[in-house]
Amino acid sequence: MTLQTPQPPPSALRAVLAALTSETALRQPGAAALRHPNGPLLPAHPLAVHQLPSGAGASRTLALAPRTGWRFLIKHGGEVVAAAEVAKAAEGHTFSHFAAGPYLDSTLQALAQAWQLAHPLRGRHQPRLLSIPDLYATALWLHNTDAGPDGDLLIPLAPAPLGVTGHRAYPAAELLALLARPRTVAPAPLAAVPAL
């Protein structure tokens, strides 16, 4: 397998660069690490973001996940300190938000896994991000550009939903079927009532 690094549209990169110099954008909670840098802030690792709509249930399929924008990891001194997301708009792309938290390191780990998977697998794969908002889940989507959806892999980012192993490469159909299962929450044990 070879990984085809995606090239974002110029309007997506321009939107991120503008946000990195915008006082308003830098006031967002996810931008705390970007406010007083000691050096340049560099957008890196651009990934197209596709969103699986809520309510898809058992019919979840990657064909229902349109591209909604792009996410860039923001590097400072070689370290990833935040992510910036831009959304598709009529005039190209507009800045959406900055983000921090565990998905930063998890995205880097999934990308490293994707490069390791590149050797034994066949075909060309394009890394993307798949967002599944109703399950609070995100996965690195390795789209097989040669074989279509049957050759796609999904690597859930950690933290992953219950019943899903973060950073395990799943065939896309297998993971989507797993995510479509109804989630059951065990009832809390009843407290013992003292005898009167």
Side-chain angles (χ1 to χ4, degrees), residues 71-83:
R71 184 175 299 167
F72 296 77
L73 296 181
I74 307 300
K75 286 188 163 185
H76 177 247
E79 180 183 350
V80 172
V81 293

Side-chain angles (χ1 to χ4, degrees), residues 192-196:
V193 179
L196 295 175

Side-chain angles (χ1 to χ4, degrees), residues 126-184:
Q126 183 182 72
R128 304 171 170 180
L129 276 182
L130 180 67
S131 173
I132 312 170
D134 59 327
L135 297 178
Y136 303 100
T138 302
L140 184 68
W141 172 7
L142 300 178
H143 173 59
N144 189 326
T145 58
D146 295 328
D150 291 341
D152 287 0
L153 297 173
L154 293 173
I155 302 174
L157 301 187
L162 286 175
V164 173
T165 303
H167 294 288
R168 175 187 158 196
Y170 291 84
E174 179 186 331
L175 180 61
L176 293 177
L178 185 62
L179 291 172
R181 292 182 187 164
R183 299 284 184 256
T184 55

